[in-house]
């Protein structure tokens, strides 16, 4: 069975989970579910990033010891993901022992390779980014280019990771792996960073204690990004279980936001190369979810709690909005009006209405028993092309395109019903043919939409009389036209998406 290993960034526990964090986690979840439908053995990893100065300061501000502080926040992420129907296979915390052991092994491997060397650093540091900046990087007034707030002057003895040695190897690797970064324009950004010249970065700190000690020099703790990036390998057995690690690594896709391209697409492959580990197979870089034009973030104070939105729009309503409204890779603006209008048009008026019409007419004209579709239905070609386009789009990490293709089949089926007006026909073979076709189209829609709307699609699956779990079906076979067997009980039920 082929493997598919997919990750989200691990989230800093200085903030409560918000819709900006949920954005990447929902996209990853839908992609993971798509790959499970393809019959692949999927491992979907998420977790929390719990070390470093930023977290230490947040703990101090909360009046708690760092461990007690991170223990109080991390479960909020796990809980939010459960409530958003995220089907992660593992949740890693960087304060876990399995992580500490693996990070120390990675540090040792880079040290043994001669790529971690002691040096003195003097310069500007942004605590929010946990990154050093040169004067050229900064905005006027010595402000951080990401957070637009003052940087700190720091001078300390650090172990430096000799990133500058990896420029050619990284460029060669990206040249040999042109689809490594999706969407492509984000790949160009990463390659631009590498071409512009790589500076060694400091990989340890003596000024703080909240971190993982270097095994050969324990007065230093690992730099938080060195520690955090390693979660992707420590979670799958690096340093502890060689067979398990060999089974999952290299990862298929790291999903990241556009603000952490440098750390993921430049630092991380170089760190792995140094330690003699294969680089990731790929990255997928998302834009920001904006709110009133600014990145939704704790710092901007414009965060939305996704769980509040689910109370009004349902879990699948929120998931659908996140997946369908923005082309992955570009920024998207969150508005309440946008969410309401997507919900009403795509979910209530298109999908919800299709199910309710089909169930009503089958109830009235077919005795509540769903007829089989025709092999030569005019909807068959539309269903095949919706499947093909959706499959290619999921493969390209473009959920909005995959859902657009899926919704084109919903619209075509609604139009087919409007053209044939089965509700005006007498019971008999003519109405059976139309309704068999509509049920089959709806079955295929349910399969294709299930990564986005898992619980709603399970309900539709059951209402049209199908047994088992929609997520347990196997593509591509299951989406071939003609799978609806006919003779199944169709149930009307409550509206899936009451209009807002
Ligand atoms: N802890 C680091 C990641 C380490 S991964 C080895 C971190 N954490 S974070 O919580 O600040 O952000 C995690 C990810 O969430 C980033 O990729 C960031 O872009 C993403 N997002 C945070 N707010 C977001 C939006 N408003 N919109 C989209 N993504 C957002 O960075």
């Amino acid at each position: 069975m082929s493997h598919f290993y997919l990750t989200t960034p691990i989230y800093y526990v200085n903030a409560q989970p918000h819709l900006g964090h949920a954005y990447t986690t929902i996209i990853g979840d839908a992609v993971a579910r798509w790959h499970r439908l393809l019959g692949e053995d999927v491992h979907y990893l998420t977790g929390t990033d719990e070390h470093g100065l930023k977290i230490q300061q947040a703990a101090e501000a909360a009046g708690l010891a760092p461990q007690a502080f991170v223990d109080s926040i991390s479960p909020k992420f796990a809980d939010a993901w459960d409530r958003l129907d995220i089907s992660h296979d593992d949740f890693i915390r960087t304060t876990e022992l399995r992580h500490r052991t693996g990070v120390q092994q990675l540090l040792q491997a880079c040290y043994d390779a001669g790529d971690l060397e002691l040096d003195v650093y003097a310069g500007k540091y942004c605590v929010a980014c946990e990154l050093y900046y040169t004067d050229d990087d900064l905005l006027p007034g010595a402000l951080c280019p990401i957070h637009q707030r003052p940087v700190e002057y720091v001078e300390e003895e650090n172990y430096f990771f000799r990133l500058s040695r990896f420029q050619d190897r990284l460029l060669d690797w990206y040249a040999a792996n042109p689809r490594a970064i999706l969407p492509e324009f984000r790949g160009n950004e990463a390659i631009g960073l590498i071409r512009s010249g790589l500076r060694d970065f400091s990989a340890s700190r003596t000024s703080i204690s909240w971190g993982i000690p270097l095994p050969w020099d324990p007065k230093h703790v690992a730099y938080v990004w060195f520690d955090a990036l390693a979660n992707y390998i420590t979670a799958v057995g690096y340093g502890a279980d060689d067979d398990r690690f060999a089974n999952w690594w290299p990862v298929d896709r790291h999903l990241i936001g556009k603000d952490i391209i440098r750390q993921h697409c430049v630092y991380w492959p170089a760190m792995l190369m140094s330690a003699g580990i294969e680089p990731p197979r790929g990255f997928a870089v998302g834009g920001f979810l904006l709110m009133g034009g600014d990145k939704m973030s704790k710092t901007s104070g414009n965060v939305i709690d996704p769980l509040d939105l689910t109370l009004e729009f349902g879990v699948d309503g929120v998931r659908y909005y996140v997946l369908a409204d923005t082309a992955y890779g570009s920024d998207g603006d969150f508005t309440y009006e946008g969410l309401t209008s997507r919900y009403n048009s795509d979910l209530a008026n298109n999908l919800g209405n299709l199910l309710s019409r089909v169930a009503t007419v089958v109830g009235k004209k077919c005795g509540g028993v769903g007829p089989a579709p025709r092999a030569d239905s005019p909807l068959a070609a539309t269903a095949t092309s919706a499947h093909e386009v959706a499959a290619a789009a999921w493969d390209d990490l473009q959920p909005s395109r995959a859902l657009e293709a899926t919704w084109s089949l919903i619209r075509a089926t609604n139009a087919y019903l409007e053209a044939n007006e089965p509700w005006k026909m007498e019971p008999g073979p003519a109405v059976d043919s139309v309704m068999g076709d509509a049920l089959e189209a709806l079955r295929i829609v349910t399969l294709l939409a299930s990564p986005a709307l898992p619980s709603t699609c399970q309900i539709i699956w059951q209402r049209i009389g199908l047994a088992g779990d929609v997520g347990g079906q196997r593509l591509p076979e299951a989406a071939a036209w003609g799978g609806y067997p006919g003779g199944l009980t169709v149930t009307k039920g409550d509206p899936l998406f009451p209009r807002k």
Side-chain angles (χ1 to χ4, degrees):
M1 195 192 269
S2 69
H3 290 127
F4 188 76
Y5 177 25
L6 178 73
T7 66
T8 71
I10 50 171
Y11 302 103
Y12 283 130
V13 288
N14 66 328
Q16 310 277 329
H18 60 67
L19 193 61
H21 304 123
Y23 178 77
T24 311
T25 315
I26 291 172
I27 289 168
D29 185 64
V31 172
R33 288 176 186 270
W34 176 262
H35 282 267
R36 292 193 192 102
L37 278 177
L38 295 178
E40 294 171 13
D41 191 6
V42 172
H43 192 70
Y44 181 34
L45 173 71
T46 189
T48 43
D49 190 350
E50 306 187 1
H51 288 133
L53 185 54
K54 195 206 292 248
I55 305 300
Q56 187 177 302
Q57 289 178 345
E60 278 160 19
L64 289 172
Q67 189 66 53
F69 175 73
V70 300
D71 286 348
S72 72
I73 308 280
S74 176
K76 297 189 183 183
F77 281 86
D79 181 54
W81 304 155
D82 285 345
R83 291 168 62 187
L84 289 168
D85 235 348
I86 303 302
S87 61
H88 50 288
D89 299 283
D90 194 2
F91 186 103
I92 188 159
R93 299 183 52 188
T94 56
T95 50
E96 286 175 68
L97 181 60
R98 61 171 171 161
H99 180 69
R100 167 186 288 252
T101 321
V103 169
Q104 289 187 324
Q105 176 143 338
L106 179 67
L107 286 160
Q108 189 71 52
C110 295
Y111 184 63
D112 292 346
D115 293 322
L116 281 175
E117 290 175 328
L118 204 56
D119 221 329
V120 174
Y121 180 85
K124 314 278 170 51
Y125 192 73
C126 171
V127 179
C129 294
E130 299 267 21
L131 278 182
Y132 285 116
Y133 283 108
T134 63
D135 288 336
D136 292 346
D137 298 328
L138 298 175
L139 299 176
L143 302 180
C144 160
I146 305 275
H147 294 91
Q148 293 163 21
R149 61 181 237 184
V151 291
E152 291 177 19
Y153 181 79
V154 184
E155 198 174 313
E156 64 175 327
E157 195 175 54
N158 294 162
Y159 283 90
F160 274 73
F161 180 75
R162 297 299 183 204
L163 185 65
S164 52
R165 294 177 185 156
F166 291 84
Q167 182 171 18
D168 291 344
R169 286 170 70 185
L170 287 169
L171 287 173
D172 289 349
W173 190 84
Y174 280 113
N177 296 279
R179 265 176 65 87
I181 304 177
L182 294 175
E184 226 169 279
F185 73 98
R186 296 284 180 204
N188 298 337
E189 246 175 272
I191 290 159
L193 287 175
I194 303 170
R195 285 222 179 94
S196 69
L198 298 179
R199 283 191 300 269
D200 298 340
F201 68 86
S202 132
S204 74
R205 298 284 184 273
T206 47
S207 52
I208 64 165
S209 55
W210 183 236
I212 298 178
L214 306 191
W216 67 92
D217 193 347
K219 62 180 187 299
H220 290 253
V221 299
Y223 165 48
V224 63
W225 270 102
F226 204 102
D227 167 340
L229 288 161
N231 90 88
Y232 303 129
I233 56 174
T234 62
V236 290
Y238 175 72
D241 181 342
D242 293 345
D243 289 344
R244 180 152 185 265
F245 184 56
N247 187 41
W248 291 110
W249 195 262
V251 64
D252 292 278
R253 289 268 166 216
H254 287 313
L255 291 187
I256 61 171
K258 66 177 184 180
D259 51 338
I260 53 178
I261 293 181
R262 178 190 298 273
Q263 294 91 333
H264 279 80
C265 304
V266 184
Y267 290 11
W268 179 227
M271 286 158 57
L272 290 163
M273 286 171 177
S274 165
I277 305 169
E278 270 190 75
R281 289 209 176 96
F283 304 88
V285 184
F288 289 154
L289 195 59
L290 309 175
M291 173 89 169
D294 288 327
K295 180 187 180 196
M296 186 181 289
S297 69
K298 189 184 152 185
T299 322
S300 310
N302 58 357
V303 294
I304 299 260
D305 182 341
L307 301 177
D308 289 345
L309 295 177
T310 65
L311 299 177
E312 187 166 359
F313 296 94
V315 169
D316 284 353
V318 174
R319 291 174 60 107
Y320 180 77
Y321 174 75
V322 160
L323 290 159
D325 206 59
T326 306
Y328 184 71
S330 306
D331 291 346
D333 219 339
F334 171 84
T335 62
Y336 188 80
E337 295 70 31
L339 169 57
T340 311
S341 104
R342 277 244 166 226
Y343 173 94
N344 281 331
S345 65
D346 295 3
L347 299 179
N349 296 345
N350 275 303
L351 178 56
N353 191 29
L354 175 60
L355 173 69
S356 123
R357 273 171 157 176
V358 166
T360 305
V361 179
V362 170
K364 288 197 179 140
K365 308 279 177 174
C366 313
V369 177
R374 289 178 290 190
D376 59 351
S377 165
L379 287 174
T382 315
T384 305
S385 85
H387 176 206
E388 282 168 7
V389 175
W394 284 115
D395 197 44
D396 283 343
L397 276 290
Q398 286 297 329
S400 63
R401 271 201 272 130
L403 293 171
E404 176 51 34
T406 306
W407 258 250
S408 71
L409 177 57
I410 299 177
R411 287 192 293 268
T413 312
N414 273 322
Y416 177 71
L417 291 173
E418 274 146 30
N420 286 283
E421 301 188 310
W423 41 85
K424 290 189 180 162
M425 295 176 176
E426 291 304 317
V431 81
D432 286 356
S433 301
V434 173
M435 295 320 293
D437 291 352
L439 277 160
E440 173 59 348
L442 185 53
R443 184 189 70 86
I444 294 170
V445 162
T446 307
L447 280 166
L448 300 182
S450 65
L453 312 171
S455 69
T456 310
C457 288
Q458 184 58 32
I459 295 172
I460 304 177
W461 193 252
Q462 283 161 357
R463 287 204 192 158
I464 63 176
L466 292 161
D469 187 353
V470 62
Q473 307 303 308
R474 285 294 157 267
L475 296 181
E477 302 78 9
W481 185 264
Y484 189 72
L488 305 179
T489 303
V490 173
T491 323
K492 178 127 170 46
D494 293 334
L496 291 177
F497 301 103
R499 269 182 204 82
K500 299 293 169 198

